[in-house]
Amino acid sequence: MVPAQRALIGAAGSRPCTLVVCRGCCCGDARKHPGFDHEWQLERLRSAAAASGGAFAVRTTDCLGPCDQANVVVVQPSAGGRRAGGRATWVGFAMDDDCTEEILAWAAAGGPGVTAPPAALELQFIEPPRNARVRSRR
């Protein structure tokens, strides 16, 4: 089997763009970030994903690491986006309505590898922490 065919087999072959929302020690913490409605943000992301007809998904995770740049959202490419060269994109300081809406618009349009991100959102891209799991190419 050639590698291009392998990417199309199984659940990963149809995986949508996925928003991984950090809700660990700092992200989503009203004590650390008072005045921001963290629950609203998560509900907004989830309801938009539900209304997208499977175009993108949302999941939460524990601490991703860059706590000084909370809230952090990782935009993972869809299977098609990954085949087109898209890679996971980390968005930091994602705590205002405009940022939330830009993330949603990008995910709905296909995300990394499929479409370019909104220019303003690019200003919030951050480097993943060095200890983040990285897959080696085989």
Side-chain angles (χ1 to χ4, degrees):
M1 183 181 328
V2 294
Q5 288 175 325
R6 190 176 316 137
L8 299 174
I9 296 174
S14 62
R15 180 176 299 151
C17 176
T18 302
L19 306 178
V20 181
V21 183
C22 181
R23 284 299 183 253
C25 64
C26 297
C27 296
D29 187 338
R31 290 172 293 155
K32 281 197 115 166
H33 303 287
F36 181 74
D37 190 347
H38 300 281
E39 291 302 318
W40 169 87
Q41 181 186 46
L42 191 55
E43 180 54 37
R44 175 70 182 110
L45 295 170
R46 286 179 171 159
S47 65
S52 77
F56 68 95
V58 174
R59 68 182 184 91
T60 59
T61 189
D62 278 339
C63 185
L64 289 169
C67 297
D68 59 331
Q69 298 169 332
N71 285 349
V72 176
V73 176
V74 180
V75 184
Q76 295 179 326
S78 64
R82 185 162 295 280
R83 285 190 298 275
R87 296 294 175 254
T89 303
W90 290 56
V91 180
F93 309 104
M95 287 200 303
D96 64 34
D97 297 354
D98 291 339
C99 179
T100 300
E101 295 304 320
E102 287 174 343
I103 290 170
L104 288 172
W106 189 28
V114 175
T115 189
L121 187 61
E122 286 186 55
L123 298 172
Q124 291 181 246
F125 288 1
I126 61 172
E127 291 293 321
R130 287 190 175 276
N131 61 353
R133 192 177 102 201
V134 178
R135 292 184 181 170
S136 61
R137 298 193 130 201
R138 294 177 195 198

